[in-house]
Amino acid sequence: MRDYYSVNELAKQLGVTTRSIRNYLHEGKLKGTKVGGQWKFSEQDLYEFLYGSQEKPMSRSENLFMLKAPIVMKFNLYCEKNEVLNQFRDDVINYHLDVYANQRDRLLQYNLLREEHAELLIGGNFRYITNFSAWINEQLMKQTDISLSDK
């Protein structure tokens, strides 16, 4: 892990332009610190930007697990109907709570990136990833409004 990222390094890490990084700062989506007139971003700043700030801060060990999960799978979800994405999110979270409750070595993260685009991240051991991703895929196959690619 690094102590701090520059604007250029963070843009490269996230696959966006430096202008996007400055827009995120201006919009308050991204936090950073100015050092000698240059913006610098900590691992915590990056984490909060990607995953949102937590009402109850995660412990260092939980944060490290999320960053170093043995396997992470990402689903990019596209849908023109926001209510359909919200319902899918609720179904996934409820299933996760029912089946994987009290298992702290599991990652589930849902991010609404734009009104029509969300990402779903799952992380953990191989068995968890294969079983949960198979269930997610099964649910997606039932959906006609959600796709895995931008049309």
Side-chain angles (χ1 to χ4, degrees):
M1 288 198 311
R2 301 186 49 158
D3 289 337
Y4 288 94
Y5 294 94
S6 69
V7 170
N8 287 338
E9 291 168 331
L10 191 61
K12 185 176 180 181
Q13 178 83 9
L14 296 174
V16 298
T17 65
T18 57
R19 172 62 34 236
S20 293
I21 298 296
R22 294 181 197 291
N23 287 341
Y24 298 148
L25 281 163
H26 180 72
E27 294 165 0
K29 295 178 180 177
L30 175 64
K31 295 178 190 170
T33 305
K34 269 204 167 177
V35 178
Q38 301 279 320
W39 282 103
K40 297 293 181 183
F41 307 94
S42 68
E43 288 284 336
Q44 186 64 35
D45 295 332
L46 177 58
Y47 177 83
E48 288 178 6
F49 174 72
L50 292 172
Y51 303 110
S53 32
Q54 308 291 318
E55 287 181 22
K56 176 184 159 214
M58 296 179 70
S59 71
R60 179 165 169 74
S61 63
E62 288 173 320
N63 193 10
L64 286 174
F65 174 77
M66 291 183 75
L67 294 173
K68 295 182 177 181
I71 302 171
V72 176
M73 180 174 276
K74 179 170 90 171
F75 295 87
N76 277 301
L77 308 171
Y78 297 90
C79 183
E80 293 180 10
K81 300 175 185 172
N82 197 276
E83 63 276 3
V84 173
L85 276 177
N86 290 339
Q87 182 60 53
F88 184 76
R89 176 204 60 213
D90 293 346
D91 292 346
V92 169
I93 290 171
N94 288 331
Y95 179 84
H96 190 270
L97 290 172
D98 288 345
V99 176
Y100 301 107
N102 300 323
Q103 296 183 19
R104 298 182 57 85
D105 60 343
R106 310 290 192 260
L107 161 68
L108 170 62
Q109 181 71 42
Y110 179 90
N111 299 308
L112 185 62
L113 303 175
R114 293 188 311 268
E115 191 171 317
E116 72 285 351
H117 178 203
E119 73 177 2
L120 178 65
L121 296 166
I122 60 173
N125 64 45
F126 181 77
R127 185 173 172 190
Y128 165 74
I129 296 297
T130 54
N131 291 338
F132 193 28
S133 64
W135 181 87
I136 292 169
N137 189 56
E138 187 178 300
Q139 301 312 301
L140 287 169
M141 297 301 283
K142 296 176 186 176
Q143 289 285 339
T144 57
D145 293 327
I146 300 176
S147 73
L148 293 175
S149 62
D150 195 7
K151 296 173 184 171

